[in-house]
Short mmCIF file of all heavy atoms in Angstrom, two decimals:
data_model
loop_
_atom_site.label_atom_id
_atom_site.label_comp_id
_atom_site.label_asym_id
_atom_site.label_seq_id
_atom_site.Cartn_x
_atom_site.Cartn_y
_atom_site.Cartn_z
N MET A 1 -1.17 109.27 -127.65
CA MET A 1 -1.71 109.21 -126.30
C MET A 1 -3.19 109.60 -126.30
O MET A 1 -3.97 109.00 -125.59
CB MET A 1 -0.89 110.14 -125.40
CG MET A 1 -1.21 109.96 -123.97
SD MET A 1 -0.65 108.34 -123.42
CE MET A 1 -0.33 108.65 -121.75
N VAL A 2 -3.54 110.61 -127.08
CA VAL A 2 -4.94 111.04 -127.14
C VAL A 2 -5.80 109.95 -127.76
O VAL A 2 -6.92 109.71 -127.30
CB VAL A 2 -5.06 112.36 -127.93
CG1 VAL A 2 -6.51 112.72 -128.18
CG2 VAL A 2 -4.34 113.48 -127.21
N LEU A 3 -5.26 109.29 -128.79
CA LEU A 3 -6.01 108.22 -129.45
C LEU A 3 -6.30 107.08 -128.48
O LEU A 3 -7.39 106.50 -128.51
CB LEU A 3 -5.23 107.70 -130.65
CG LEU A 3 -5.95 106.69 -131.54
CD1 LEU A 3 -7.25 107.29 -132.06
CD2 LEU A 3 -5.06 106.28 -132.68
N ARG A 4 -5.36 106.78 -127.59
CA ARG A 4 -5.59 105.74 -126.58
C ARG A 4 -6.71 106.15 -125.65
O ARG A 4 -7.53 105.32 -125.25
CB ARG A 4 -4.32 105.48 -125.79
CG ARG A 4 -3.28 104.71 -126.57
CD ARG A 4 -2.02 104.52 -125.81
NE ARG A 4 -2.27 103.71 -124.62
CZ ARG A 4 -1.35 103.46 -123.70
NH1 ARG A 4 -0.15 103.97 -123.81
NH2 ARG A 4 -1.64 102.71 -122.66
N GLY A 5 -6.77 107.42 -125.28
CA GLY A 5 -7.83 107.91 -124.40
C GLY A 5 -9.20 107.84 -125.06
O GLY A 5 -10.18 107.45 -124.43
N ILE A 6 -9.24 108.20 -126.33
CA ILE A 6 -10.51 108.15 -127.07
C ILE A 6 -10.96 106.70 -127.22
O ILE A 6 -12.15 106.38 -127.02
CB ILE A 6 -10.37 108.83 -128.44
CG1 ILE A 6 -10.17 110.34 -128.26
CG2 ILE A 6 -11.57 108.55 -129.32
CD1 ILE A 6 -9.79 111.07 -129.51
N ALA A 7 -10.04 105.81 -127.57
CA ALA A 7 -10.39 104.39 -127.71
C ALA A 7 -10.84 103.81 -126.37
O ALA A 7 -11.79 103.02 -126.32
CB ALA A 7 -9.21 103.60 -128.26
N GLY A 8 -10.18 104.20 -125.30
CA GLY A 8 -10.57 103.71 -123.97
C GLY A 8 -11.95 104.20 -123.57
O GLY A 8 -12.77 103.43 -123.05
N ALA A 9 -12.22 105.48 -123.81
CA ALA A 9 -13.54 106.03 -123.47
C ALA A 9 -14.64 105.39 -124.31
O ALA A 9 -15.70 105.02 -123.79
CB ALA A 9 -13.54 107.54 -123.67
N ALA A 10 -14.39 105.23 -125.60
CA ALA A 10 -15.38 104.59 -126.47
C ALA A 10 -15.59 103.14 -126.06
O ALA A 10 -16.73 102.64 -126.06
CB ALA A 10 -14.93 104.66 -127.93
N GLY A 11 -14.52 102.46 -125.70
CA GLY A 11 -14.64 101.07 -125.25
C GLY A 11 -15.46 100.96 -123.99
O GLY A 11 -16.29 100.05 -123.84
N LEU A 12 -15.25 101.88 -123.07
CA LEU A 12 -16.02 101.86 -121.82
C LEU A 12 -17.50 102.12 -122.07
O LEU A 12 -18.36 101.43 -121.51
CB LEU A 12 -15.45 102.90 -120.85
CG LEU A 12 -16.02 102.89 -119.44
CD1 LEU A 12 -15.79 101.53 -118.78
CD2 LEU A 12 -15.39 103.99 -118.62
N VAL A 13 -17.81 103.07 -122.95
CA VAL A 13 -19.21 103.36 -123.28
C VAL A 13 -19.86 102.15 -123.93
O VAL A 13 -20.99 101.77 -123.58
CB VAL A 13 -19.30 104.61 -124.19
CG1 VAL A 13 -20.69 104.76 -124.79
CG2 VAL A 13 -18.93 105.86 -123.41
N LEU A 14 -19.17 101.53 -124.88
CA LEU A 14 -19.72 100.34 -125.55
C LEU A 14 -19.91 99.19 -124.56
O LEU A 14 -20.92 98.47 -124.64
CB LEU A 14 -18.80 99.88 -126.68
CG LEU A 14 -18.83 100.71 -127.96
CD1 LEU A 14 -17.78 100.20 -128.94
CD2 LEU A 14 -20.20 100.69 -128.59
N LEU A 15 -18.97 99.03 -123.65
CA LEU A 15 -19.07 97.96 -122.67
C LEU A 15 -20.28 98.14 -121.76
O LEU A 15 -21.06 97.21 -121.53
CB LEU A 15 -17.79 97.90 -121.84
CG LEU A 15 -17.59 96.69 -120.96
CD1 LEU A 15 -17.35 95.45 -121.80
CD2 LEU A 15 -16.40 96.91 -120.04
N VAL A 16 -20.48 99.35 -121.27
CA VAL A 16 -21.61 99.62 -120.37
C VAL A 16 -22.94 99.52 -121.13
O VAL A 16 -23.90 98.90 -120.65
CB VAL A 16 -21.46 101.01 -119.69
CG1 VAL A 16 -22.72 101.41 -118.96
CG2 VAL A 16 -20.27 101.00 -118.75
N ALA A 17 -23.01 100.13 -122.32
CA ALA A 17 -24.24 100.06 -123.10
C ALA A 17 -24.56 98.60 -123.47
O ALA A 17 -25.72 98.18 -123.40
CB ALA A 17 -24.11 100.90 -124.37
N GLY A 18 -23.54 97.85 -123.83
CA GLY A 18 -23.76 96.44 -124.17
C GLY A 18 -24.26 95.64 -122.98
O GLY A 18 -25.12 94.77 -123.13
N ALA A 19 -23.72 95.94 -121.80
CA ALA A 19 -24.18 95.23 -120.60
C ALA A 19 -25.65 95.54 -120.32
O ALA A 19 -26.41 94.65 -119.95
CB ALA A 19 -23.31 95.60 -119.41
N VAL A 20 -26.04 96.80 -120.49
CA VAL A 20 -27.44 97.17 -120.28
C VAL A 20 -28.33 96.50 -121.32
O VAL A 20 -29.38 95.94 -120.99
CB VAL A 20 -27.61 98.71 -120.31
CG1 VAL A 20 -29.08 99.09 -120.33
CG2 VAL A 20 -26.92 99.34 -119.11
N PHE A 21 -27.92 96.55 -122.58
CA PHE A 21 -28.70 95.91 -123.64
C PHE A 21 -28.85 94.42 -123.37
O PHE A 21 -29.93 93.85 -123.51
CB PHE A 21 -28.05 96.11 -125.01
CG PHE A 21 -28.28 97.45 -125.63
CD1 PHE A 21 -28.64 98.55 -124.87
CD2 PHE A 21 -28.13 97.62 -126.98
CE1 PHE A 21 -28.84 99.78 -125.46
CE2 PHE A 21 -28.33 98.85 -127.59
CZ PHE A 21 -28.68 99.94 -126.82
N PHE A 22 -27.74 93.77 -122.99
CA PHE A 22 -27.78 92.34 -122.71
C PHE A 22 -28.71 92.06 -121.52
O PHE A 22 -29.53 91.14 -121.57
CB PHE A 22 -26.38 91.81 -122.42
CG PHE A 22 -26.34 90.33 -122.20
CD1 PHE A 22 -26.36 89.45 -123.27
CD2 PHE A 22 -26.31 89.81 -120.92
CE1 PHE A 22 -26.35 88.09 -123.07
CE2 PHE A 22 -26.29 88.44 -120.70
CZ PHE A 22 -26.31 87.58 -121.79
N GLY A 23 -28.57 92.85 -120.46
CA GLY A 23 -29.41 92.67 -119.28
C GLY A 23 -30.89 92.82 -119.58
O GLY A 23 -31.72 92.08 -119.08
N GLN A 24 -31.21 93.78 -120.42
CA GLN A 24 -32.61 93.95 -120.80
C GLN A 24 -33.06 92.82 -121.73
O GLN A 24 -34.19 92.35 -121.62
CB GLN A 24 -32.82 95.30 -121.48
CG GLN A 24 -32.75 96.45 -120.51
CD GLN A 24 -32.99 97.79 -121.15
OE1 GLN A 24 -32.71 97.99 -122.33
NE2 GLN A 24 -33.48 98.72 -120.37
N GLY A 25 -32.19 92.40 -122.62
CA GLY A 25 -32.55 91.34 -123.56
C GLY A 25 -32.84 90.02 -122.88
O GLY A 25 -33.73 89.28 -123.32
N VAL A 26 -32.11 89.71 -121.80
CA VAL A 26 -32.37 88.44 -121.11
C VAL A 26 -33.39 88.60 -119.99
O VAL A 26 -33.73 87.60 -119.33
CB VAL A 26 -31.06 87.83 -120.56
CG1 VAL A 26 -30.12 87.46 -121.68
CG2 VAL A 26 -30.38 88.73 -119.56
N GLY A 27 -33.87 89.80 -119.76
CA GLY A 27 -34.93 90.01 -118.78
C GLY A 27 -34.46 90.35 -117.38
O GLY A 27 -35.26 90.38 -116.46
N TRP A 28 -33.16 90.61 -117.19
CA TRP A 28 -32.65 90.97 -115.87
C TRP A 28 -33.01 92.40 -115.50
O TRP A 28 -33.14 92.74 -114.32
CB TRP A 28 -31.13 90.82 -115.80
CG TRP A 28 -30.64 89.42 -115.94
CD1 TRP A 28 -31.36 88.27 -115.77
CD2 TRP A 28 -29.32 89.01 -116.28
NE1 TRP A 28 -30.57 87.18 -115.99
CE2 TRP A 28 -29.31 87.60 -116.30
CE3 TRP A 28 -28.16 89.69 -116.59
CZ2 TRP A 28 -28.17 86.87 -116.60
CZ3 TRP A 28 -27.02 88.96 -116.88
CH2 TRP A 28 -27.03 87.57 -116.89
N ILE A 29 -33.14 93.26 -116.52
CA ILE A 29 -33.50 94.66 -116.31
C ILE A 29 -34.82 94.89 -117.03
O ILE A 29 -34.92 94.70 -118.24
CB ILE A 29 -32.43 95.61 -116.89
CG1 ILE A 29 -31.06 95.32 -116.28
CG2 ILE A 29 -32.82 97.07 -116.67
CD1 ILE A 29 -29.91 96.06 -116.95
N GLY A 30 -35.83 95.29 -116.30
CA GLY A 30 -37.15 95.46 -116.90
C GLY A 30 -37.46 96.90 -117.24
O GLY A 30 -36.66 97.81 -117.04
N GLY A 31 -38.66 97.10 -117.76
CA GLY A 31 -39.17 98.44 -118.00
C GLY A 31 -38.85 99.02 -119.36
O GLY A 31 -38.84 100.24 -119.52
N SER A 32 -38.58 98.19 -120.35
CA SER A 32 -38.23 98.69 -121.67
C SER A 32 -38.82 97.78 -122.74
O SER A 32 -39.16 96.63 -122.48
CB SER A 32 -36.71 98.72 -121.82
OG SER A 32 -36.33 99.00 -123.14
N PHE A 33 -38.92 98.32 -123.95
CA PHE A 33 -39.38 97.49 -125.06
C PHE A 33 -38.37 96.40 -125.39
O PHE A 33 -38.69 95.43 -126.08
CB PHE A 33 -39.65 98.35 -126.30
CG PHE A 33 -38.42 98.98 -126.90
CD1 PHE A 33 -37.72 98.34 -127.91
CD2 PHE A 33 -37.95 100.21 -126.44
CE1 PHE A 33 -36.59 98.91 -128.46
CE2 PHE A 33 -36.82 100.79 -126.98
CZ PHE A 33 -36.14 100.14 -128.00
N MET A 34 -37.14 96.54 -124.89
CA MET A 34 -36.10 95.55 -125.15
C MET A 34 -36.16 94.37 -124.19
O MET A 34 -35.53 93.34 -124.43
CB MET A 34 -34.71 96.20 -125.04
CG MET A 34 -34.47 97.27 -126.08
SD MET A 34 -32.76 97.87 -126.14
CE MET A 34 -32.55 98.58 -124.53
N THR A 35 -36.93 94.49 -123.12
CA THR A 35 -36.97 93.45 -122.09
C THR A 35 -37.48 92.13 -122.66
O THR A 35 -38.55 92.07 -123.27
CB THR A 35 -37.87 93.90 -120.92
OG1 THR A 35 -37.35 95.12 -120.40
CG2 THR A 35 -37.90 92.86 -119.82
N GLY A 36 -36.70 91.09 -122.47
CA GLY A 36 -37.09 89.76 -122.89
C GLY A 36 -36.92 89.47 -124.37
O GLY A 36 -37.33 88.42 -124.84
N GLU A 37 -36.29 90.37 -125.11
CA GLU A 37 -36.09 90.17 -126.55
C GLU A 37 -34.68 89.67 -126.80
O GLU A 37 -33.69 90.35 -126.50
CB GLU A 37 -36.30 91.49 -127.31
CG GLU A 37 -37.72 92.03 -127.24
CD GLU A 37 -38.69 91.21 -128.06
OE1 GLU A 37 -38.28 90.64 -129.10
OE2 GLU A 37 -39.86 91.15 -127.66
N ALA A 38 -34.57 88.48 -127.37
CA ALA A 38 -33.27 87.86 -127.61
C ALA A 38 -32.40 88.68 -128.55
O ALA A 38 -31.16 88.66 -128.45
CB ALA A 38 -33.45 86.45 -128.17
N LYS A 39 -33.03 89.41 -129.45
CA LYS A 39 -32.27 90.25 -130.39
C LYS A 39 -31.40 91.25 -129.63
O LYS A 39 -30.23 91.46 -129.97
CB LYS A 39 -33.23 90.98 -131.32
CG LYS A 39 -32.58 92.00 -132.22
CD LYS A 39 -33.57 92.66 -133.16
CE LYS A 39 -34.36 93.70 -132.44
NZ LYS A 39 -35.17 94.54 -133.34
N TRP A 40 -31.95 91.85 -128.58
CA TRP A 40 -31.19 92.86 -127.83
C TRP A 40 -30.10 92.22 -126.97
O TRP A 40 -29.07 92.83 -126.73
CB TRP A 40 -32.13 93.71 -126.99
CG TRP A 40 -32.98 94.55 -127.87
CD1 TRP A 40 -34.31 94.39 -128.14
CD2 TRP A 40 -32.56 95.67 -128.66
NE1 TRP A 40 -34.73 95.33 -129.05
CE2 TRP A 40 -33.68 96.13 -129.38
CE3 TRP A 40 -31.34 96.30 -128.83
CZ2 TRP A 40 -33.61 97.21 -130.25
CZ3 TRP A 40 -31.28 97.38 -129.70
CH2 TRP A 40 -32.40 97.83 -130.39
N ALA A 41 -30.32 90.99 -126.55
CA ALA A 41 -29.27 90.28 -125.82
C ALA A 41 -28.09 90.01 -126.75
O ALA A 41 -26.93 90.16 -126.36
CB ALA A 41 -29.80 88.97 -125.25
N ALA A 42 -28.37 89.64 -127.99
CA ALA A 42 -27.30 89.39 -128.96
C ALA A 42 -26.57 90.67 -129.30
O ALA A 42 -25.33 90.70 -129.37
CB ALA A 42 -27.88 88.74 -130.21
N ILE A 43 -27.30 91.75 -129.53
CA ILE A 43 -26.68 93.04 -129.81
C ILE A 43 -25.82 93.47 -128.63
O ILE A 43 -24.69 93.96 -128.80
CB ILE A 43 -27.74 94.11 -130.15
CG1 ILE A 43 -28.40 93.78 -131.49
CG2 ILE A 43 -27.14 95.51 -130.17
CD1 ILE A 43 -29.63 94.61 -131.81
N GLY A 44 -26.33 93.29 -127.43
CA GLY A 44 -25.57 93.64 -126.23
C GLY A 44 -24.28 92.84 -126.11
O GLY A 44 -23.23 93.38 -125.75
N ALA A 45 -24.35 91.56 -126.42
CA ALA A 45 -23.15 90.73 -126.35
C ALA A 45 -22.10 91.20 -127.36
O ALA A 45 -20.91 91.26 -127.04
CB ALA A 45 -23.51 89.27 -126.61
N VAL A 46 -22.53 91.57 -128.55
CA VAL A 46 -21.60 92.09 -129.56
C VAL A 46 -20.97 93.39 -129.08
O VAL A 46 -19.76 93.61 -129.23
CB VAL A 46 -22.31 92.28 -130.91
CG1 VAL A 46 -21.45 93.05 -131.89
CG2 VAL A 46 -22.72 90.94 -131.50
N LEU A 47 -21.78 94.27 -128.48
CA LEU A 47 -21.25 95.54 -127.97
C LEU A 47 -20.26 95.32 -126.83
O LEU A 47 -19.25 96.03 -126.75
CB LEU A 47 -22.39 96.44 -127.51
CG LEU A 47 -23.27 97.04 -128.60
CD1 LEU A 47 -24.40 97.87 -127.98
CD2 LEU A 47 -22.46 97.88 -129.55
N VAL A 48 -20.53 94.37 -125.97
CA VAL A 48 -19.61 94.07 -124.87
C VAL A 48 -18.27 93.59 -125.42
O VAL A 48 -17.20 94.04 -124.97
CB VAL A 48 -20.22 93.03 -123.90
CG1 VAL A 48 -19.17 92.45 -122.98
CG2 VAL A 48 -21.34 93.66 -123.09
N VAL A 49 -18.30 92.70 -126.40
CA VAL A 49 -17.06 92.20 -126.99
C VAL A 49 -16.30 93.33 -127.69
O VAL A 49 -15.08 93.46 -127.54
CB VAL A 49 -17.35 91.04 -127.96
CG1 VAL A 49 -16.13 90.67 -128.77
CG2 VAL A 49 -17.88 89.83 -127.20
N ALA A 50 -17.03 94.18 -128.43
CA ALA A 50 -16.38 95.30 -129.11
C ALA A 50 -15.78 96.28 -128.10
O ALA A 50 -14.66 96.78 -128.28
CB ALA A 50 -17.38 96.02 -130.01
N GLY A 51 -16.51 96.56 -127.04
CA GLY A 51 -16.01 97.46 -126.01
C GLY A 51 -14.79 96.91 -125.31
O GLY A 51 -13.81 97.62 -125.06
N ALA A 52 -14.80 95.62 -125.01
CA ALA A 52 -13.64 94.99 -124.38
C ALA A 52 -12.44 95.01 -125.32
O ALA A 52 -11.30 95.23 -124.88
CB ALA A 52 -13.98 93.56 -123.97
N GLY A 53 -12.69 94.83 -126.60
CA GLY A 53 -11.60 94.90 -127.58
C GLY A 53 -10.99 96.28 -127.66
O GLY A 53 -9.76 96.43 -127.72
N LEU A 54 -11.83 97.31 -127.65
CA LEU A 54 -11.31 98.68 -127.67
C LEU A 54 -10.54 99.00 -126.40
O LEU A 54 -9.51 99.67 -126.45
CB LEU A 54 -12.45 99.68 -127.85
CG LEU A 54 -12.89 99.95 -129.28
CD1 LEU A 54 -14.09 100.89 -129.29
CD2 LEU A 54 -11.76 100.53 -130.09
N LEU A 55 -11.04 98.54 -125.26
CA LEU A 55 -10.32 98.76 -124.01
C LEU A 55 -8.96 98.07 -124.03
O LEU A 55 -7.95 98.64 -123.59
CB LEU A 55 -11.14 98.28 -122.82
CG LEU A 55 -12.28 99.18 -122.37
CD1 LEU A 55 -13.10 98.51 -121.28
CD2 LEU A 55 -11.74 100.51 -121.88
N ALA A 56 -8.92 96.86 -124.55
CA ALA A 56 -7.65 96.13 -124.65
C ALA A 56 -6.71 96.85 -125.61
O ALA A 56 -5.50 96.97 -125.35
CB ALA A 56 -7.89 94.70 -125.10
N LEU A 57 -7.24 97.33 -126.73
CA LEU A 57 -6.43 98.07 -127.69
C LEU A 57 -5.85 99.33 -127.05
O LEU A 57 -4.67 99.64 -127.21
CB LEU A 57 -7.27 98.44 -128.91
CG LEU A 57 -6.59 99.27 -129.99
CD1 LEU A 57 -5.54 98.41 -130.70
CD2 LEU A 57 -7.60 99.79 -130.98
N ALA A 58 -6.67 100.04 -126.31
CA ALA A 58 -6.21 101.26 -125.65
C ALA A 58 -5.19 100.95 -124.57
O ALA A 58 -4.24 101.71 -124.37
CB ALA A 58 -7.40 102.01 -125.05
N ARG A 59 -5.34 99.85 -123.91
CA ARG A 59 -4.44 99.50 -122.80
C ARG A 59 -3.10 98.98 -123.29
O ARG A 59 -2.05 99.32 -122.72
CB ARG A 59 -5.12 98.43 -121.93
CG ARG A 59 -4.30 97.89 -120.81
CD ARG A 59 -4.16 98.91 -119.69
NE ARG A 59 -3.46 98.33 -118.57
CZ ARG A 59 -2.20 98.61 -118.25
NH1 ARG A 59 -1.53 99.47 -118.96
NH2 ARG A 59 -1.63 98.05 -117.22
N PHE A 60 -3.10 98.17 -124.32
CA PHE A 60 -1.88 97.48 -124.73
C PHE A 60 -1.28 98.00 -126.03
O PHE A 60 -0.30 97.45 -126.51
CB PHE A 60 -2.15 95.98 -124.86
CG PHE A 60 -2.56 95.36 -123.56
CD1 PHE A 60 -3.84 94.85 -123.39
CD2 PHE A 60 -1.67 95.30 -122.51
CE1 PHE A 60 -4.23 94.29 -122.18
CE2 PHE A 60 -2.05 94.74 -121.30
CZ PHE A 60 -3.32 94.23 -121.14
N ARG A 61 -1.82 99.06 -126.59
CA ARG A 61 -1.28 99.61 -127.83
C ARG A 61 0.13 100.15 -127.61
O ARG A 61 0.40 100.80 -126.61
CB ARG A 61 -2.18 100.73 -128.34
CG ARG A 61 -1.76 101.24 -129.69
CD ARG A 61 -2.83 102.11 -130.27
NE ARG A 61 -2.49 102.45 -131.64
CZ ARG A 61 -2.04 103.64 -132.00
NH1 ARG A 61 -1.90 104.59 -131.11
NH2 ARG A 61 -1.73 103.87 -133.25
N ASP A 62 1.01 99.87 -128.50
CA ASP A 62 2.40 100.32 -128.49
C ASP A 62 3.24 99.72 -127.36
O ASP A 62 4.36 100.14 -127.16
CB ASP A 62 2.50 101.86 -128.40
CG ASP A 62 1.87 102.54 -129.60
OD1 ASP A 62 1.84 101.92 -130.67
OD2 ASP A 62 1.44 103.69 -129.45
N ARG A 63 2.74 98.75 -126.64
CA ARG A 63 3.52 98.15 -125.57
C ARG A 63 4.72 97.38 -126.12
O ARG A 63 5.76 97.33 -125.49
CB ARG A 63 2.67 97.20 -124.73
CG ARG A 63 1.57 97.88 -123.98
CD ARG A 63 2.07 98.38 -122.68
NE ARG A 63 0.94 98.99 -121.97
CZ ARG A 63 1.06 99.73 -120.93
NH1 ARG A 63 2.22 99.97 -120.41
NH2 ARG A 63 0.00 100.27 -120.37
N GLY A 64 4.55 96.76 -127.29
CA GLY A 64 5.62 95.94 -127.83
C GLY A 64 6.74 96.75 -128.47
O GLY A 64 7.79 96.23 -128.79
N LEU A 65 6.54 98.05 -128.69
CA LEU A 65 7.53 98.87 -129.36
C LEU A 65 8.57 99.44 -128.42
O LEU A 65 9.54 100.03 -128.86
CB LEU A 65 6.82 100.02 -130.09
CG LEU A 65 5.82 99.60 -131.17
CD1 LEU A 65 5.14 100.82 -131.75
CD2 LEU A 65 6.52 98.82 -132.27
N ARG A 66 8.42 99.28 -127.13
CA ARG A 66 9.35 99.88 -126.17
C ARG A 66 10.33 98.89 -125.65
O ARG A 66 10.23 97.78 -125.49
CB ARG A 66 8.59 100.49 -125.01
CG ARG A 66 7.78 101.65 -125.51
CD ARG A 66 7.04 102.28 -124.37
NE ARG A 66 6.18 103.30 -124.96
CZ ARG A 66 5.32 103.98 -124.29
NH1 ARG A 66 5.19 103.80 -123.01
NH2 ARG A 66 4.59 104.88 -124.87
#
């Protein structure tokens, strides 16, 4: 149960950070050295996918065993 909570929290952090990185990379969020840089948009997209995967893992882990 604790592992699910840790995975969920880490997934949420990665999802939010990835969204910010992506937003800055595509120029939606300004005021940073990352603004308008495609590299940060790609990194953000990877973080969003990883975060969503961790959230799914935390949500659906052990569901099939019951």
Side-chain angles (χ1 to χ4, degrees):
M1 190 68 151
V2 172
L3 187 58
R4 286 177 64 185
I6 292 170
L12 188 59
V13 168
L14 285 175
L15 192 69
V16 170
V20 170
F21 281 21
F22 183 80
Q24 287 182 332
V26 296
W28 295 342
I29 303 171
S32 171
F33 66 93
M34 296 189 297
T35 302
E37 295 288 329
K39 173 178 79 170
W40 292 107
I43 292 170
V46 169
L47 289 177
V48 166
V49 170
L54 275 176
L55 282 174
L57 177 70
R59 176 73 175 106
F60 298 113
R61 186 168 187 255
D62 297 333
R63 295 273 182 193
L65 299 176
R66 294 181 186 175

